[in-house]
């Protein structure tokens, strides 16, 4: 009887350890590799296309944080119509503006990399996968930006970025020269992927800025860490009169 009891006990312990290892492995696999943050304000016209371009990425292991900044159109209803478990809709608070909303979203992220995204734009299917690979290949960079297409409201391509016009990795001295002479190197926040630690080191966006808060933060990050340039058109940037950047002007 004692031997039988001991055998049952050993089987129980073995099964318990196996279950624990499976749970730990599941948690590891479920851990998001990258966070996508989407600030929304009166974006109903193209919001569904933007959200769906994120949800259909070839890389599936990500979290998707969205915060509506007090829209008076159907934006919030559109966001709530999606039931994907990767979406985290932050509760509404006081109106924060673009950079305040980005700061709120970034603070809530759990992944080491953050891709910023705008409500008017479209991610190419391999965008997140290519960014993740790029950061793995270049652990020294603080942030990256990818090349892009510009599109009209009807999705017609009107402009394509020049490829291989800059080094793949720009050291601080070179990137700061470009910021000084040419303005904001990443033309749009939707092209940017940044390490969360880099944002935290620079205390995120200065939300006193109504515009150019991105130029301010990127130049601070790039003055200390190399800038990565992904020479692939991974995002489509939409140009139309109601875009959020035009609302801020």
């Amino acid at each position: 009887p004692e031997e039988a009891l001991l055998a049952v006990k050993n089987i129980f312990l073995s099964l318990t350890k196996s279950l624990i290892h499976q749970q730990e492995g599941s948690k590891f696999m479920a851990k998001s590799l990258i966070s996508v943050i989407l600030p929304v304000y009166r974006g109903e016209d193209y919001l569904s296309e933007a959200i769906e371009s994120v949800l259909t990425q070839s890389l599936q292991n990500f979290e998707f944080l969205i915060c509506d900044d007090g829209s008076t159109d159907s934006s919030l209803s559109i966001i709530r119509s999606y039931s994907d478990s990767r979406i985290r809709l932050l509760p509404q608070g006081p109106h924060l503006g673009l950079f305040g909303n980005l700061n709120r979203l970034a603070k809530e992220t759990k992944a080491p990399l953050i891709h910023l995204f705008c409500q008017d734009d479209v991610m190419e299917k391999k965008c997140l996968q290519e960014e993740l690979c790029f950061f793995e290949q270049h652990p020294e960079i603080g942030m990256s930006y990818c090349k892009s297409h510009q599109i009209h409201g009807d999705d017609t391509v009107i402009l394509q970025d020049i490829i291989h016009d800059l080094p793949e990795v720009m050291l601080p001295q070179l990137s700061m020269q470009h910021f000084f002479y040419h303005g904001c190197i990443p033309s749009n926040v939707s092209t940017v992927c940044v390490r969360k630690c880099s944002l935290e080191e620079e205390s995120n966006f200065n939300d006193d800025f109504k515009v150019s808060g991105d130029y301010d933060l990127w130049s601070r990050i790039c003055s200390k860490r190399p800038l990565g340039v992904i020479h692939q058109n991974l995002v489509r940037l939409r140009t139309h009169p109601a875009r959020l950047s035009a609302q801020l002007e």
Side-chain angles (χ1 to χ4, degrees):
E2 291 183 358
E3 291 178 357
L5 184 60
L6 182 61
V8 171
K9 182 178 180 181
N10 288 336
I11 292 172
F12 177 78
L13 289 173
S14 178
L15 289 173
T16 302
K17 288 179 180 179
S18 177
L19 181 60
I20 290 172
H21 289 156
Q22 289 177 14
Q23 290 175 339
E24 289 177 345
S26 176
K27 289 177 182 178
F28 177 77
M29 291 299 293
K31 185 177 181 181
S32 299
L33 299 173
I34 188 169
S35 301
V36 179
I37 59 174
L38 176 61
V40 174
Y41 182 63
R42 297 189 304 190
E44 63 182 1
D45 289 345
Y46 304 104
L47 185 56
S48 291
E49 188 176 357
I51 291 174
E52 288 164 16
S53 76
V54 177
L55 297 179
T56 56
Q57 286 291 295
S58 58
L59 176 74
Q60 292 288 294
N61 196 359
F62 63 85
E63 63 169 356
F64 190 10
L65 281 72
I66 308 175
C67 185
D68 181 79
D69 201 21
S71 298
T72 53
D73 61 5
S74 63
S75 292
L76 192 57
S77 296
I78 292 171
I79 300 166
R80 286 174 172 163
S81 71
Y82 292 90
S83 58
D84 194 293
S85 61
R86 292 167 297 180
I87 293 178
R88 291 169 56 199
L89 175 60
L90 302 190
Q92 284 183 288
H95 183 73
L96 298 173
L98 174 59
F99 300 116
N101 200 357
L102 283 169
N103 282 341
R104 184 186 181 197
L105 285 160
K107 184 179 179 181
E108 296 293 329
T109 59
K110 298 178 181 178
L113 297 176
I114 302 173
H115 182 104
L116 291 76
F117 197 47
C118 294
Q119 64 193 21
D120 310 308
D121 301 330
V122 180
M123 277 191 194
E124 303 294 357
K125 193 173 184 67
K126 63 178 182 177
C127 179
L128 298 183
Q129 182 68 62
E130 292 295 334
E131 288 176 329
L132 181 63
C133 290
F134 190 85
F135 274 83
E136 289 176 346
Q137 294 167 6
H138 301 288
E140 74 277 18
I141 65 173
M143 60 174 281
S144 73
Y145 81 98
C146 65
K147 296 308 183 77
S148 62
H149 292 106
Q150 287 191 27
I151 58 175
H152 272 312
D154 62 0
D155 291 336
T156 304
V157 176
I158 57 176
L159 189 65
Q160 178 174 307
D161 279 349
I162 299 172
I163 304 296
H164 300 303
D165 56 332
L166 294 170
E168 195 170 76
V169 174
M170 299 176 65
L171 297 178
Q173 184 177 5
L174 178 59
S175 60
M176 293 311 295
Q177 289 177 5
H178 276 264
F179 273 108
F180 183 80
Y181 288 108
H182 303 292
C184 191
I185 306 174
S187 59
N188 188 293
V189 297
S190 284
T191 67
V192 171
C193 186
V194 61
R195 295 191 192 278
K196 182 170 183 175
C197 61
S198 294
L199 287 180
E200 293 173 339
E201 286 171 2
E202 296 302 326
S203 301
N204 299 313
F205 291 96
N206 183 341
D207 56 14
D208 289 335
F209 285 96
K210 187 175 181 180
V211 295
S212 300
D214 51 345
Y215 177 91
D216 169 68
L217 179 56
W218 306 154
S219 60
R220 283 188 278 130
I221 291 173
C222 292
S223 69
K224 298 175 182 176
R225 296 192 182 197
L227 167 66
V229 184
I230 303 177
H231 290 286
Q232 298 184 63
N233 294 310
L234 299 179
V235 176
R236 281 174 274 161
L237 306 175
R238 195 183 305 275
T239 299
H240 65 100
R243 68 191 186 279
L244 183 55
S245 57
Q247 295 179 35
L248 297 173
E249 294 170 357

PDB file of all heavy atoms in Angstrom, residues 153-183:
ATOM      1  N   GLY A 153      -7.160  60.023 -50.404  1.00  0.00           N
ATOM      2  CA  GLY A 153      -8.266  59.447 -49.655  1.00  0.00           C
ATOM      3  C   GLY A 153      -8.835  58.196 -50.305  1.00  0.00           C
ATOM      4  O   GLY A 153      -9.378  57.323 -49.615  1.00  0.00           O
ATOM      5  N   ASP A 154      -8.701  58.085 -51.635  1.00  0.00           N
ATOM      6  CA  ASP A 154      -9.235  56.917 -52.347  1.00  0.00           C
ATOM      7  C   ASP A 154      -8.206  55.798 -52.487  1.00  0.00           C
ATOM      8  O   ASP A 154      -8.406  54.872 -53.285  1.00  0.00           O
ATOM      9  CB  ASP A 154      -9.755  57.336 -53.729  1.00  0.00           C
ATOM     10  CG  ASP A 154      -8.646  57.913 -54.613  1.00  0.00           C
ATOM     11  OD1 ASP A 154      -7.477  57.986 -54.161  1.00  0.00           O
ATOM     12  OD2 ASP A 154      -8.948  58.295 -55.757  1.00  0.00           O
ATOM     13  N   ASP A 155      -7.091  55.881 -51.747  1.00  0.00           N
ATOM     14  CA  ASP A 155      -6.036  54.865 -51.726  1.00  0.00           C
ATOM     15  C   ASP A 155      -5.083  54.936 -52.928  1.00  0.00           C
ATOM     16  O   ASP A 155      -4.177  54.103 -53.043  1.00  0.00           O
ATOM     17  CB  ASP A 155      -6.591  53.441 -51.619  1.00  0.00           C
ATOM     18  CG  ASP A 155      -7.218  53.174 -50.257  1.00  0.00           C
ATOM     19  OD1 ASP A 155      -6.840  53.854 -49.290  1.00  0.00           O
ATOM     20  OD2 ASP A 155      -8.076  52.277 -50.158  1.00  0.00           O
ATOM     21  N   THR A 156      -5.268  55.894 -53.810  1.00  0.00           N
ATOM     22  CA  THR A 156      -4.353  56.046 -54.942  1.00  0.00           C
ATOM     23  C   THR A 156      -2.986  56.509 -54.459  1.00  0.00           C
ATOM     24  O   THR A 156      -2.880  57.470 -53.693  1.00  0.00           O
ATOM     25  CB  THR A 156      -4.902  57.080 -55.947  1.00  0.00           C
ATOM     26  OG1 THR A 156      -6.208  56.695 -56.356  1.00  0.00           O
ATOM     27  CG2 THR A 156      -3.984  57.190 -57.165  1.00  0.00           C
ATOM     28  N   VAL A 157      -1.932  55.823 -54.901  1.00  0.00           N
ATOM     29  CA  VAL A 157      -0.569  56.211 -54.517  1.00  0.00           C
ATOM     30  C   VAL A 157      -0.159  57.457 -55.296  1.00  0.00           C
ATOM     31  O   VAL A 157      -0.249  57.494 -56.528  1.00  0.00           O
ATOM     32  CB  VAL A 157       0.426  55.066 -54.789  1.00  0.00           C
ATOM     33  CG1 VAL A 157       1.858  55.517 -54.487  1.00  0.00           C
ATOM     34  CG2 VAL A 157       0.081  53.844 -53.951  1.00  0.00           C
ATOM     35  N   ILE A 158       0.276  58.491 -54.571  1.00  0.00           N
ATOM     36  CA  ILE A 158       0.665  59.739 -55.219  1.00  0.00           C
ATOM     37  C   ILE A 158       2.159  60.039 -55.078  1.00  0.00           C
ATOM     38  O   ILE A 158       2.705  60.847 -55.807  1.00  0.00           O
ATOM     39  CB  ILE A 158      -0.146  60.929 -54.668  1.00  0.00           C
ATOM     40  CG1 ILE A 158       0.007  61.044 -53.147  1.00  0.00           C
ATOM     41  CG2 ILE A 158      -1.603  60.816 -55.063  1.00  0.00           C
ATOM     42  CD1 ILE A 158      -0.682  62.261 -52.546  1.00  0.00           C
ATOM     43  N   LEU A 159       2.831  59.344 -54.144  1.00  0.00           N
ATOM     44  CA  LEU A 159       4.248  59.611 -53.931  1.00  0.00           C
ATOM     45  C   LEU A 159       4.882  58.427 -53.222  1.00  0.00           C
ATOM     46  O   LEU A 159       4.251  57.794 -52.375  1.00  0.00           O
ATOM     47  CB  LEU A 159       4.441  60.885 -53.088  1.00  0.00           C
ATOM     48  CG  LEU A 159       5.859  61.435 -52.932  1.00  0.00           C
ATOM     49  CD1 LEU A 159       6.399  61.890 -54.278  1.00  0.00           C
ATOM     50  CD2 LEU A 159       5.873  62.606 -51.942  1.00  0.00           C
ATOM     51  N   GLN A 160       6.125  58.136 -53.561  1.00  0.00           N
ATOM     52  CA  GLN A 160       6.851  57.035 -52.929  1.00  0.00           C
ATOM     53  C   GLN A 160       8.192  57.551 -52.438  1.00  0.00           C
ATOM     54  O   GLN A 160       8.881  58.282 -53.143  1.00  0.00           O
ATOM     55  CB  GLN A 160       7.052  55.903 -53.936  1.00  0.00           C
ATOM     56  CG  GLN A 160       7.836  54.728 -53.403  1.00  0.00           C
ATOM     57  CD  GLN A 160       7.877  53.572 -54.394  1.00  0.00           C
ATOM     58  OE1 GLN A 160       6.848  53.123 -54.879  1.00  0.00           O
ATOM     59  NE2 GLN A 160       9.070  53.100 -54.692  1.00  0.00           N
ATOM     60  N   ASP A 161       8.561  57.179 -51.221  1.00  0.00           N
ATOM     61  CA  ASP A 161       9.841  57.608 -50.671  1.00  0.00           C
ATOM     62  C   ASP A 161      11.011  57.053 -51.475  1.00  0.00           C
ATOM     63  O   ASP A 161      10.934  55.972 -52.056  1.00  0.00           O
ATOM     64  CB  ASP A 161       9.983  57.127 -49.215  1.00  0.00           C
ATOM     65  CG  ASP A 161       9.257  58.016 -48.227  1.00  0.00           C
ATOM     66  OD1 ASP A 161       8.815  59.108 -48.631  1.00  0.00           O
ATOM     67  OD2 ASP A 161       9.120  57.610 -47.059  1.00  0.00           O
ATOM     68  N   ILE A 162      12.107  57.807 -51.468  1.00  0.00           N
ATOM     69  CA  ILE A 162      13.346  57.339 -52.081  1.00  0.00           C
ATOM     70  C   ILE A 162      13.968  56.287 -51.165  1.00  0.00           C
ATOM     71  O   ILE A 162      14.054  56.472 -49.955  1.00  0.00           O
ATOM     72  CB  ILE A 162      14.333  58.511 -52.273  1.00  0.00           C
ATOM     73  CG1 ILE A 162      13.721  59.564 -53.197  1.00  0.00           C
ATOM     74  CG2 ILE A 162      15.664  58.013 -52.839  1.00  0.00           C
ATOM     75  CD1 ILE A 162      14.530  60.838 -53.292  1.00  0.00           C
ATOM     76  N   ILE A 163      14.388  55.186 -51.749  1.00  0.00           N
ATOM     77  CA  ILE A 163      14.982  54.085 -50.991  1.00  0.00           C
ATOM     78  C   ILE A 163      16.509  54.186 -51.048  1.00  0.00           C
ATOM     79  O   ILE A 163      17.083  54.594 -52.051  1.00  0.00           O
ATOM     80  CB  ILE A 163      14.519  52.727 -51.555  1.00  0.00           C
ATOM     81  CG1 ILE A 163      12.988  52.649 -51.557  1.00  0.00           C
ATOM     82  CG2 ILE A 163      15.109  51.571 -50.762  1.00  0.00           C
ATOM     83  CD1 ILE A 163      12.354  52.681 -50.182  1.00  0.00           C
ATOM     84  N   HIS A 164      17.159  53.822 -49.955  1.00  0.00           N
ATOM     85  CA  HIS A 164      18.622  53.768 -49.855  1.00  0.00           C
ATOM     86  C   HIS A 164      19.285  55.131 -50.081  1.00  0.00           C
ATOM     87  O   HIS A 164      20.368  55.226 -50.651  1.00  0.00           O
ATOM     88  CB  HIS A 164      19.196  52.737 -50.838  1.00  0.00           C
ATOM     89  CG  HIS A 164      18.683  51.344 -50.601  1.00  0.00           C
ATOM     90  ND1 HIS A 164      18.831  50.696 -49.384  1.00  0.00           N
ATOM     91  CD2 HIS A 164      17.996  50.496 -51.411  1.00  0.00           C
ATOM     92  CE1 HIS A 164      18.269  49.498 -49.466  1.00  0.00           C
ATOM     93  NE2 HIS A 164      17.748  49.350 -50.664  1.00  0.00           N
ATOM     94  N   ASP A 165      18.630  56.180 -49.619  1.00  0.00           N
ATOM     95  CA  ASP A 165      19.225  57.521 -49.702  1.00  0.00           C
ATOM     96  C   ASP A 165      20.031  57.851 -48.454  1.00  0.00           C
ATOM     97  O   ASP A 165      20.797  58.819 -48.439  1.00  0.00           O
ATOM     98  CB  ASP A 165      18.131  58.567 -49.902  1.00  0.00           C
ATOM     99  CG  ASP A 165      17.063  58.522 -48.806  1.00  0.00           C
ATOM    100  OD1 ASP A 165      16.853  57.433 -48.228  1.00  0.00           O
ATOM    101  OD2 ASP A 165      16.450  59.565 -48.525  1.00  0.00           O
ATOM    102  N   LEU A 166      19.869  57.052 -47.398  1.00  0.00           N
ATOM    103  CA  LEU A 166      20.563  57.285 -46.127  1.00  0.00           C
ATOM    104  C   LEU A 166      21.159  55.964 -45.638  1.00  0.00           C
ATOM    105  O   LEU A 166      20.715  54.880 -46.047  1.00  0.00           O
ATOM    106  CB  LEU A 166      19.584  57.823 -45.077  1.00  0.00           C
ATOM    107  CG  LEU A 166      18.986  59.209 -45.322  1.00  0.00           C
ATOM    108  CD1 LEU A 166      17.865  59.476 -44.334  1.00  0.00           C
ATOM    109  CD2 LEU A 166      20.058  60.293 -45.226  1.00  0.00           C
ATOM    110  N   PRO A 167      22.140  56.030 -44.732  1.00  0.00           N
ATOM    111  CA  PRO A 167      22.664  54.787 -44.147  1.00  0.00           C
ATOM    112  C   PRO A 167      21.580  54.058 -43.366  1.00  0.00           C
ATOM    113  O   PRO A 167      20.635  54.666 -42.862  1.00  0.00           O
ATOM    114  CB  PRO A 167      23.772  55.284 -43.205  1.00  0.00           C
ATOM    115  CG  PRO A 167      24.094  56.664 -43.655  1.00  0.00           C
ATOM    116  CD  PRO A 167      22.838  57.227 -44.234  1.00  0.00           C
ATOM    117  N   GLU A 168      21.734  52.756 -43.252  1.00  0.00           N
ATOM    118  CA  GLU A 168      20.778  51.949 -42.492  1.00  0.00           C
ATOM    119  C   GLU A 168      20.799  52.312 -41.012  1.00  0.00           C
ATOM    120  O   GLU A 168      19.772  52.245 -40.339  1.00  0.00           O
ATOM    121  CB  GLU A 168      21.102  50.468 -42.687  1.00  0.00           C
ATOM    122  CG  GLU A 168      20.008  49.530 -42.259  1.00  0.00           C
ATOM    123  CD  GLU A 168      20.279  48.105 -42.690  1.00  0.00           C
ATOM    124  OE1 GLU A 168      21.124  47.440 -42.049  1.00  0.00           O
ATOM    125  OE2 GLU A 168      19.651  47.650 -43.673  1.00  0.00           O
ATOM    126  N   VAL A 169      21.958  52.679 -40.507  1.00  0.00           N
ATOM    127  CA  VAL A 169      22.099  53.145 -39.129  1.00  0.00           C
ATOM    128  C   VAL A 169      22.821  54.487 -39.156  1.00  0.00           C
ATOM    129  O   VAL A 169      23.925  54.594 -39.691  1.00  0.00           O
ATOM    130  CB  VAL A 169      22.878  52.135 -38.261  1.00  0.00           C
ATOM    131  CG1 VAL A 169      23.127  52.712 -36.868  1.00  0.00           C
ATOM    132  CG2 VAL A 169      22.111  50.821 -38.155  1.00  0.00           C
ATOM    133  N   MET A 170      22.176  55.512 -38.590  1.00  0.00           N
ATOM    134  CA  MET A 170      22.749  56.859 -38.564  1.00  0.00           C
ATOM    135  C   MET A 170      23.216  57.170 -37.144  1.00  0.00           C
ATOM    136  O   MET A 170      22.410  57.160 -36.201  1.00  0.00           O
ATOM    137  CB  MET A 170      21.711  57.881 -39.020  1.00  0.00           C
ATOM    138  CG  MET A 170      21.227  57.659 -40.451  1.00  0.00           C
ATOM    139  SD  MET A 170      19.912  58.801 -40.950  1.00  0.00           S
ATOM    140  CE  MET A 170      20.778  60.383 -40.892  1.00  0.00           C
ATOM    141  N   LEU A 171      24.496  57.454 -36.993  1.00  0.00           N
ATOM    142  CA  LEU A 171      25.040  57.815 -35.691  1.00  0.00           C
ATOM    143  C   LEU A 171      24.515  59.189 -35.276  1.00  0.00           C
ATOM    144  O   LEU A 171      24.099  59.991 -36.132  1.00  0.00           O
ATOM    145  CB  LEU A 171      26.561  57.810 -35.738  1.00  0.00           C
ATOM    146  CG  LEU A 171      27.209  56.446 -36.028  1.00  0.00           C
ATOM    147  CD1 LEU A 171      28.727  56.580 -36.096  1.00  0.00           C
ATOM    148  CD2 LEU A 171      26.804  55.414 -34.980  1.00  0.00           C
ATOM    149  N   PRO A 172      24.506  59.483 -33.985  1.00  0.00           N
ATOM    150  CA  PRO A 172      23.917  60.744 -33.517  1.00  0.00           C
ATOM    151  C   PRO A 172      24.420  61.993 -34.239  1.00  0.00           C
ATOM    152  O   PRO A 172      23.620  62.879 -34.564  1.00  0.00           O
ATOM    153  CB  PRO A 172      24.289  60.753 -32.032  1.00  0.00           C
ATOM    154  CG  PRO A 172      24.306  59.313 -31.657  1.00  0.00           C
ATOM    155  CD  PRO A 172      24.899  58.612 -32.852  1.00  0.00           C
ATOM    156  N   GLN A 173      25.705  62.080 -34.498  1.00  0.00           N
ATOM    157  CA  GLN A 173      26.230  63.283 -35.153  1.00  0.00           C
ATOM    158  C   GLN A 173      25.598  63.497 -36.525  1.00  0.00           C
ATOM    159  O   GLN A 173      25.207  64.614 -36.881  1.00  0.00           O
ATOM    160  CB  GLN A 173      27.747  63.196 -35.294  1.00  0.00           C
ATOM    161  CG  GLN A 173      28.374  64.459 -35.890  1.00  0.00           C
ATOM    162  CD  GLN A 173      29.893  64.361 -35.956  1.00  0.00           C
ATOM    163  OE1 GLN A 173      30.475  63.333 -35.647  1.00  0.00           O
ATOM    164  NE2 GLN A 173      30.536  65.446 -36.352  1.00  0.00           N
ATOM    165  N   LEU A 174      25.465  62.423 -37.295  1.00  0.00           N
ATOM    166  CA  LEU A 174      24.879  62.537 -38.629  1.00  0.00           C
ATOM    167  C   LEU A 174      23.379  62.807 -38.566  1.00  0.00           C
ATOM    168  O   LEU A 174      22.861  63.677 -39.288  1.00  0.00           O
ATOM    169  CB  LEU A 174      25.141  61.258 -39.421  1.00  0.00           C
ATOM    170  CG  LEU A 174      24.543  61.209 -40.836  1.00  0.00           C
ATOM    171  CD1 LEU A 174      25.083  62.343 -41.688  1.00  0.00           C
ATOM    172  CD2 LEU A 174      24.816  59.855 -41.486  1.00  0.00           C
ATOM    173  N   SER A 175      22.672  62.092 -37.714  1.00  0.00           N
ATOM    174  CA  SER A 175      21.217  62.292 -37.656  1.00  0.00           C
ATOM    175  C   SER A 175      20.873  63.690 -37.159  1.00  0.00           C
ATOM    176  O   SER A 175      19.920  64.312 -37.646  1.00  0.00           O
ATOM    177  CB  SER A 175      20.550  61.224 -36.783  1.00  0.00           C
ATOM    178  OG  SER A 175      21.024  61.256 -35.464  1.00  0.00           O
ATOM    179  N   MET A 176      21.669  64.233 -36.237  1.00  0.00           N
ATOM    180  CA  MET A 176      21.391  65.586 -35.751  1.00  0.00           C
ATOM    181  C   MET A 176      21.629  66.637 -36.833  1.00  0.00           C
ATOM    182  O   MET A 176      20.920  67.648 -36.905  1.00  0.00           O
ATOM    183  CB  MET A 176      22.239  65.888 -34.512  1.00  0.00           C
ATOM    184  CG  MET A 176      21.874  65.054 -33.283  1.00  0.00           C
ATOM    185  SD  MET A 176      20.094  65.027 -32.913  1.00  0.00           S
ATOM    186  CE  MET A 176      19.819  66.741 -32.494  1.00  0.00           C
ATOM    187  N   GLN A 177      22.612  66.396 -37.709  1.00  0.00           N
ATOM    188  CA  GLN A 177      22.813  67.303 -38.849  1.00  0.00           C
ATOM    189  C   GLN A 177      21.587  67.293 -39.757  1.00  0.00           C
ATOM    190  O   GLN A 177      21.135  68.354 -40.233  1.00  0.00           O
ATOM    191  CB  GLN A 177      24.057  66.887 -39.635  1.00  0.00           C
ATOM    192  CG  GLN A 177      25.363  67.163 -38.919  1.00  0.00           C
ATOM    193  CD  GLN A 177      26.561  66.677 -39.713  1.00  0.00           C
ATOM    194  OE1 GLN A 177      26.425  66.209 -40.843  1.00  0.00           O
ATOM    195  NE2 GLN A 177      27.748  66.770 -39.134  1.00  0.00           N
ATOM    196  N   HIS A 178      21.040  66.093 -39.981  1.00  0.00           N
ATOM    197  CA  HIS A 178      19.851  65.993 -40.829  1.00  0.00           C
ATOM    198  C   HIS A 178      18.648  66.642 -40.164  1.00  0.00           C
ATOM    199  O   HIS A 178      17.844  67.307 -40.832  1.00  0.00           O
ATOM    200  CB  HIS A 178      19.566  64.528 -41.159  1.00  0.00           C
ATOM    201  CG  HIS A 178      20.359  64.018 -42.315  1.00  0.00           C
ATOM    202  ND1 HIS A 178      19.867  63.973 -43.594  1.00  0.00           N
ATOM    203  CD2 HIS A 178      21.630  63.549 -42.386  1.00  0.00           C
ATOM    204  CE1 HIS A 178      20.780  63.486 -44.414  1.00  0.00           C
ATOM    205  NE2 HIS A 178      21.865  63.216 -43.707  1.00  0.00           N
ATOM    206  N   PHE A 179      18.478  66.470 -38.860  1.00  0.00           N
ATOM    207  CA  PHE A 179      17.378  67.138 -38.164  1.00  0.00           C
ATOM    208  C   PHE A 179      17.503  68.658 -38.283  1.00  0.00           C
ATOM    209  O   PHE A 179      16.511  69.362 -38.435  1.00  0.00           O
ATOM    210  CB  PHE A 179      17.358  66.738 -36.680  1.00  0.00           C
ATOM    211  CG  PHE A 179      16.584  65.482 -36.391  1.00  0.00           C
ATOM    212  CD1 PHE A 179      17.238  64.311 -36.046  1.00  0.00           C
ATOM    213  CD2 PHE A 179      15.196  65.467 -36.452  1.00  0.00           C
ATOM    214  CE1 PHE A 179      16.535  63.142 -35.769  1.00  0.00           C
ATOM    215  CE2 PHE A 179      14.478  64.314 -36.185  1.00  0.00           C
ATOM    216  CZ  PHE A 179      15.149  63.146 -35.846  1.00  0.00           C
ATOM    217  N   PHE A 180      18.736  69.152 -38.215  1.00  0.00           N
ATOM    218  CA  PHE A 180      18.960  70.603 -38.253  1.00  0.00           C
ATOM    219  C   PHE A 180      18.711  71.168 -39.654  1.00  0.00           C
ATOM    220  O   PHE A 180      18.034  72.198 -39.802  1.00  0.00           O
ATOM    221  CB  PHE A 180      20.390  70.918 -37.813  1.00  0.00           C
ATOM    222  CG  PHE A 180      20.691  72.388 -37.763  1.00  0.00           C
ATOM    223  CD1 PHE A 180      20.284  73.170 -36.687  1.00  0.00           C
ATOM    224  CD2 PHE A 180      21.370  73.000 -38.806  1.00  0.00           C
ATOM    225  CE1 PHE A 180      20.553  74.534 -36.656  1.00  0.00           C
ATOM    226  CE2 PHE A 180      21.651  74.368 -38.781  1.00  0.00           C
ATOM    227  CZ  PHE A 180      21.247  75.133 -37.704  1.00  0.00           C
ATOM    228  N   TYR A 181      19.228  70.502 -40.677  1.00  0.00           N
ATOM    229  CA  TYR A 181      19.157  71.048 -42.031  1.00  0.00           C
ATOM    230  C   TYR A 181      17.886  70.652 -42.785  1.00  0.00           C
ATOM    231  O   TYR A 181      17.435  71.378 -43.673  1.00  0.00           O
ATOM    232  CB  TYR A 181      20.378  70.604 -42.851  1.00  0.00           C
ATOM    233  CG  TYR A 181      21.657  71.278 -42.423  1.00  0.00           C
ATOM    234  CD1 TYR A 181      22.644  70.569 -41.738  1.00  0.00           C
ATOM    235  CD2 TYR A 181      21.889  72.630 -42.682  1.00  0.00           C
ATOM    236  CE1 TYR A 181      23.823  71.187 -41.326  1.00  0.00           C
ATOM    237  CE2 TYR A 181      23.061  73.261 -42.273  1.00  0.00           C
ATOM    238  CZ  TYR A 181      24.026  72.534 -41.603  1.00  0.00           C
ATOM    239  OH  TYR A 181      25.192  73.146 -41.193  1.00  0.00           O
ATOM    240  N   HIS A 182      17.300  69.503 -42.450  1.00  0.00           N
ATOM    241  CA  HIS A 182      16.177  68.998 -43.238  1.00  0.00           C
ATOM    242  C   HIS A 182      14.883  68.851 -42.443  1.00  0.00           C
ATOM    243  O   HIS A 182      13.864  68.422 -43.001  1.00  0.00           O
ATOM    244  CB  HIS A 182      16.542  67.647 -43.855  1.00  0.00           C
ATOM    245  CG  HIS A 182      17.775  67.691 -44.702  1.00  0.00           C
ATOM    246  ND1 HIS A 182      17.845  68.373 -45.905  1.00  0.00           N
ATOM    247  CD2 HIS A 182      19.019  67.166 -44.506  1.00  0.00           C
ATOM    248  CE1 HIS A 182      19.049  68.243 -46.422  1.00  0.00           C
ATOM    249  NE2 HIS A 182      19.792  67.527 -45.589  1.00  0.00           N
ATOM    250  N   GLY A 183      14.903  69.170 -41.161  1.00  0.00           N
ATOM    251  CA  GLY A 183      13.698  69.039 -40.354  1.00  0.00           C
ATOM    252  C   GLY A 183      13.509  67.624 -39.833  1.00  0.00           C
ATOM    253  O   GLY A 183      14.469  66.857 -39.708  1.00  0.00           O
TER     254      GLY A 183
END
